[in-house]
Amino acid sequence: MHETKAGPPAPVAAHEVLAVIFQIRQRRLSVLLWRRARPPYEGMWVLPGGRIGATEGLDESIRRQLAQKVDVCDLTHLEQLETRGDPGRHPNGRTLATSYLGLVPAGTDPATPEDTTWHPASDLPPMGFDHAAMVHAGRRRLRAKLSYTNIGFALAPREFTMSELSGYYSAALGHDVAATNLRRVLLRRGQIEETGESVPSGRSGGRPAALFRFRARELEITDAFAVLRPPSRE
Amino acid sequence: MHETKAGPPAPVAAHEVLAVIFQIRQRRLSVLLWRRARPPYEGMWVLPGGRIGATEGLDESIRRQLAQKVDVCDLTHLEQLETRGDPGRHPNGRTLATSYLGLVPAGTDPATPEDTTWHPASDLPPMGFDHAAMVHAGRRRLRAKLSYTNIGFALAPREFTMSELSGYYSAALGHDVAATNLRRVLLRRGQIEETGESVPSGRSGGRPAALFRFRARELEITDAFAVLRPPSRE
DNA sequence: ACAAAAGTGTTGAGGGTACACCCATGG
DNA sequence: CCATGGGTGTACCCTCAACACTTTTGT
């Protein structure tokens, strides 16, 4: 079954990896897009990525290809999203595509080539192929994970104030998040901790803000079993 | 970037689709496996599936291939899990694999070929390739979705009593689920409703059990925004 | 002193588990 | 009338949103 012994020749197809790279920029969730210079979809915007190499894994491949677009040091999170393989998705012939969700922390400004720019995720330009659907899948995934994992670490810089962090959450979720309650939720879950330092207040006054950091910088599920959790005792 | 204009020939690879098919059988979460008749991994157990056809989509392909193993009418849910593409995952040459999670309702007994049998998911036989990892991914996905979606509809038959349903949940989750509370949770969420009929009690007596059904028979998220939900008013 | 921004205390609602209790049926 | 299994009522707990109130700074 895995090797068809007879019958039609083994079907093979081109395979590409693509990345939905998000960053909070100017208080908006933004995605890194690349402007296509030739048909099909010439002049439209597409996700960065490309064909996989003959001997590399999928994760490996998207990391390699992103290194040309985004400094790898800036990429704080990367996870697989979905694979699309409708026969008609690529006009030039059968091509499967595996998309990834990547996150870059706010505050950094990775050097990107001229033909790639950041676009607000809520106001996408005309996009080629099925890439717009992938952006939406990425946004859904991010929003969901913000509520039950520590994925915020990948959106925020190493250290941050609570009002900054609530800004990142608001931008990603698309609605207001009160800094005062966010602080308690993330502290109770053990996601963040105080650094002990604080930021002097600006010219308009105000109490100086304490600095926080995420305790872990890799994905952890902090709120599993919200319901239907196992019984407390046997 | 999508079409390498020069350089090495376009890298292509074989692509297969595989399915982690779960069903609750004898109060255990079971997975349908196929016994390999030839190397590599001869005699070990693998997931049903195979190479995709030249002109079919991924979902289409796995559905077609499963039709030979499991009656399609019995397949109440199917969703993509993950794609694996490590160069070394297939000894006979580069092969990418996209795995799916499929569910068959309890009570049915789909006709399966001789070389496929059901195995308890918590006690897997020796498995070939990276298929055991896919089974675990499937089980994690199922467990997670049981707590925030109506995916139970795909595990249960059309109509069921609450104690039967709690049995399915217990088997899938791996811990006890009290029928009395499950009833309230699922009713409040609008996932299930009474049919109005009931099942006569057995020879040992007891009050007759009311029959329920799921209101929807496709996946719905019923408990989104458990936390960090949008503000109640603007 | 006053405005501004950060942080704390408190209240109330919602949703879930646990468990005692009531109900319907067979022997 | 008792055992058995289903169904209801309820108490408690935990988490979070909302909001008033306090603290700390700049001008």
Side-chain angles (χ1 to χ4, degrees):
Chain A
M1 187 168 226
H2 289 277
E3 288 78 36
T4 27
K5 54 180 77 163
V12 291
H15 200 104
E16 60 184 4
V17 284
L18 302 166
V20 179
I21 304 290
F22 284 133
Q23 186 189 23
I24 312 288
R25 322 190 105 224
Q26 292 122 239
R27 321 206 119 246
R28 311 183 72 169
L29 183 68
S30 307
V31 59
L32 187 66
L33 299 179
W34 178 69
R35 192 165 177 284
R36 257 183 93 78
R38 61 180 178 284
Y41 300 109
E42 179 173 0
M44 299 181 80
W45 297 86
V46 294
L47 294 172
R51 295 273 183 89
I52 60 173
T55 59
E56 60 186 357
L58 293 175
D59 294 22
E60 196 181 343
S61 181
I62 190 64
R63 286 206 131 89
R64 173 182 63 77
Q65 305 202 39
L66 285 177
Q68 305 162 1
K69 302 261 171 209
V70 188
D71 192 356
V72 187
C73 308
D74 293 333
L75 199 64
T76 37
H77 179 69
L78 186 67
E79 69 177 54
Q80 197 182 98
L81 272 177
E82 59 177 349
T83 299
R84 292 182 166 246
D86 315 308
R89 66 170 292 278
H90 200 303
N92 287 9
R94 185 69 188 272
T95 305
L96 304 181
T98 298
S99 58
Y100 280 77
L101 167 65
L103 298 177
V104 173
T108 67
D109 194 12
T112 54
E114 258 201 17
D115 52 0
T116 68
T117 34
W118 296 92
H119 297 259
S122 55
D123 184 24
L124 294 174
M127 292 186 66
F129 305 100
D130 45 10
H131 293 194
M134 293 173 176
V135 174
H136 289 122
R139 191 166 63 160
R140 276 195 305 274
R141 176 79 61 93
L142 173 61
R143 287 184 174 178
K145 289 212 166 177
L146 276 173
S147 87
Y148 69 92
T149 73
N150 66 343
I151 203 170
F153 82 84
L155 290 177
R158 267 247 146 55
E159 303 193 341
F160 47 84
T161 67
M162 283 315 297
S163 67
E164 284 163 3
L165 189 63
S166 89
Y168 308 143
Y169 273 74
S170 301
L173 290 171
H175 62 76
D176 277 1
V177 174
T180 173
N181 287 331
L182 184 64
R183 171 205 187 95
R184 265 184 291 227
V185 170
L186 298 188
L187 277 175
R188 165 167 26 199
R189 294 181 175 181
Q191 285 190 25
I192 61 173
E193 64 189 1
E194 281 193 75
T195 67
E197 287 171 63
S198 60
V199 166
S201 46
R203 38 206 157 292
S204 61
R207 179 168 167 173
L211 278 176
F212 290 80
R213 72 169 82 89
F214 276 89
R215 291 165 66 102
R217 295 193 67 79
E218 52 192 28
L219 192 67
E220 291 175 358
I221 294 176
T222 59
D223 204 38
F225 296 120
V227 294
L228 299 183
R229 57 176 171 274
S232 45
R233 63 180 198 193
E234 312 244 317
Chain B
M1 186 171 227
H2 290 276
E3 289 76 37
T4 27
K5 53 181 80 165
V12 290
H15 199 103
E16 60 184 5
V17 285
L18 301 166
V20 179
I21 304 290
F22 284 132
Q23 187 189 22
I24 311 289
R25 321 191 107 226
Q26 292 123 237
R27 319 206 120 246
R28 311 183 71 171
L29 183 68
S30 308
V31 60
L32 188 66
L33 299 180
W34 179 69
R35 192 164 178 284
R36 254 183 96 77
R38 61 179 179 283
Y41 299 108
E42 180 173 0
M44 299 182 78
W45 297 85
V46 294
L47 294 172
R51 295 272 183 91
I52 59 172
T55 58
E56 61 186 357
L58 292 175
D59 295 21
E60 196 180 343
S61 181
I62 191 64
R63 286 205 130 90
R64 173 182 61 78
Q65 307 202 38
L66 285 177
Q68 304 162 1
K69 303 261 173 209
V70 188
D71 192 356
V72 187
C73 307
D74 292 334
L75 199 65
T76 36
H77 180 68
L78 186 67
E79 69 178 55
Q80 196 182 98
L81 271 177
E82 60 178 348
T83 299
R84 291 180 168 248
D86 316 308
R89 67 172 292 278
H90 200 303
N92 288 8
R94 184 70 188 273
T95 305
L96 304 181
T98 298
S99 59
Y100 280 77
L101 167 65
L103 298 177
V104 173
T108 67
D109 194 13
T112 54
E114 259 201 17
D115 52 359
T116 68
T117 35
W118 296 92
H119 297 260
S122 55
D123 184 25
L124 294 175
M127 293 186 65
F129 305 100
D130 46 9
H131 293 195
M134 291 173 176
V135 174
H136 290 121
R139 191 165 63 159
R140 276 196 304 275
R141 176 78 60 92
L142 173 61
R143 286 184 175 177
K145 289 212 167 177
L146 275 173
S147 87
Y148 69 93
T149 73
N150 67 342
I151 203 171
F153 81 84
L155 291 178
R158 266 249 147 51
E159 303 194 340
F160 47 84
T161 67
M162 284 317 295
S163 66
E164 284 163 1
L165 189 65
S166 89
Y168 308 142
Y169 274 73
S170 301
L173 291 171
H175 62 77
D176 277 1
V177 175
T180 174
N181 287 331
L182 183 64
R183 171 204 186 94
R184 263 184 294 228
V185 169
L186 298 187
L187 276 174
R188 166 167 25 200
R189 293 181 175 181
Q191 285 190 26
I192 60 174
E193 63 189 3
E194 281 192 75
T195 67
E197 290 170 61
S198 59
V199 167
S201 46
R203 38 207 156 292
S204 62
R207 178 168 168 175
L211 279 174
F212 290 80
R213 73 168 80 92
F214 276 89
R215 292 167 66 103
R217 294 192 67 81
E218 52 192 27
L219 193 67
E220 291 176 357
I221 294 174
T222 59
D223 203 40
F225 296 120
V227 294
L228 299 181
R229 58 176 171 274
S232 46
R233 60 180 200 193
E234 317 242 316

